[in-house]
Amino acid sequence: MECKTAKQVLEMLSGFDINSKQTVVGSNGFVADNPKFLKQAIEKLNQLQRQLARRTKGSNRWQKTKQRINKLHGKISRQRLDFAHKTSRQITNENDILVFEDLNVKAMQKFNGSMVADNVMGLITQLSKYKAELEGKLYHEIGRFEKSTGICSECGQRHVLTLNDRRFTCTACGAYQSRDLAAAKSIASTGELDIIAAGIVARVTPASQQKQSVKMKVFELSKLDFGSEKKKLPSR
């Protein structure tokens, strides 16, 4: 597949916090709640597993029960994939620059395996990346060890929060805010500094905003396209 021509002007930059409570929370207010398809089907799945244990292995009734279990697992997998595709498509359509965290999902499963296992965090990240590249948009991941949780979105004060602390009050400025939304804004800020420092984009002010008091951030791609350095200059 051929990617579309990269945009020269990128107007919307958003950071996205990926977590096990709510699958995705964006700095622009976007929220995608975890549908928990496995949890919805766990009662039926346990019933079939107990039924399978009572069957004689290899018998016709055992084979039928095994097929029903496989069918249910397939349904859960398709539901997850559909949710991930729809979520990543909405994220890509609404933003020009996407900033995510570099998550270690395997390590997260050791601490909260049951909740992480019923999530599609890594899949949404992968789908958003390839869809952004196809659309000529910019995808960026901040470092895995960059702190984003517990940082006040108003003054930048850092706090130590537990997993149960979903909202917190800043000790410096007193702002009461959502833990996940504040993390998403911190990710967006860190990602913006990263791509500007790397020379990937440059912040510009369009003529339409030069006289306005409230200005929206607009970026311009500053790196040359791959292979452009090999083009011959026209002879004079």
Side-chain angles (χ1 to χ4, degrees):
M1 298 180 67
E2 294 184 1
C3 297
K4 297 181 180 179
T5 304
K7 291 184 177 181
Q8 294 300 313
V9 178
L10 307 172
E11 297 183 354
M12 190 65 182
L13 182 149
S14 296
F16 296 92
D17 177 57
I18 305 293
N19 56 78
S20 55
K21 189 72 174 180
Q22 292 172 309
T23 305
V24 185
V25 177
S27 60
N28 58 351
F30 173 82
V31 177
D33 289 322
N34 183 5
K36 299 181 180 179
F37 296 114
L38 179 61
K39 185 176 181 179
Q40 295 175 12
I42 194 66
E43 185 177 348
K44 181 66 175 177
L45 190 60
N46 289 339
Q47 179 184 353
L48 290 174
Q49 292 285 4
R50 290 193 297 268
Q51 191 179 91
L52 183 69
R54 294 194 296 267
R55 309 294 190 208
T56 302
K57 188 173 182 179
S59 64
N60 290 335
R61 298 178 71 185
W62 185 90
Q63 294 289 352
K64 288 181 180 179
T65 305
K66 186 69 174 177
Q67 289 176 2
R68 293 178 66 186
I69 294 174
N70 292 338
K71 185 177 180 180
L72 184 56
H73 277 297
K75 179 182 177 181
I76 296 171
S77 178
R78 290 189 298 272
Q79 286 176 323
R80 285 175 170 172
L81 183 61
D82 178 68
F83 170 72
H85 269 296
K86 290 178 178 177
T87 303
S88 59
R89 171 49 58 196
Q90 185 176 352
I91 289 173
T92 308
N93 287 347
E94 295 177 353
N95 301 278
D96 293 331
I97 303 177
L98 288 64
V99 183
F100 282 82
E101 295 177 284
D102 181 15
L103 290 178
N104 188 354
V105 179
K106 289 185 178 180
M108 293 174 66
Q109 287 179 336
K110 294 181 180 179
F111 295 98
N112 201 355
S114 59
M115 186 172 289
V116 174
D118 198 12
N119 210 315
V120 288
M121 299 182 292
L123 186 57
I124 289 176
T125 304
Q126 295 171 8
L127 293 176
S128 298
K129 180 178 181 180
Y130 103 81
K131 288 178 181 179
E133 292 174 348
L134 286 178
E135 294 294 327
K137 299 184 177 182
L138 184 60
Y139 175 91
H140 177 73
E141 284 186 357
I142 67 172
R144 179 171 295 182
F145 301 104
E146 290 282 352
K147 181 174 174 59
S148 59
T149 303
I151 299 179
C152 177
S153 59
E154 300 294 332
C155 65
Q157 177 69 23
R158 299 194 172 200
H159 305 79
V160 178
L161 304 177
T162 65
L163 289 175
N164 294 327
D165 297 329
R166 307 316 304 178
R167 304 187 72 87
F168 68 97
T169 302
C170 179
T171 56
C173 65
Y176 183 66
Q177 54 205 295
S178 167
R179 165 205 185 105
D180 300 325
L181 181 58
K185 291 181 179 180
S186 175
I187 292 169
S189 178
T190 303
E192 179 184 339
L193 295 176
D194 285 350
I195 59 179
I196 291 178
I200 299 174
V201 299
R203 192 182 297 171
V204 297
T205 304
S208 60
Q209 295 188 20
Q210 290 178 358
K211 296 182 180 180
Q212 297 178 4
S213 58
V214 180
K215 299 177 182 180
M216 182 178 66
K217 291 181 180 179
V218 178
F219 305 89
E220 185 177 27
L221 288 174
S222 57
K223 274 195 172 182
L224 296 175
D225 294 335
F226 179 75
S228 59
E229 68 279 1
K230 298 181 180 179
K231 295 180 181 178
K232 294 183 179 179
L233 295 174
S235 58
R236 295 182 179 179

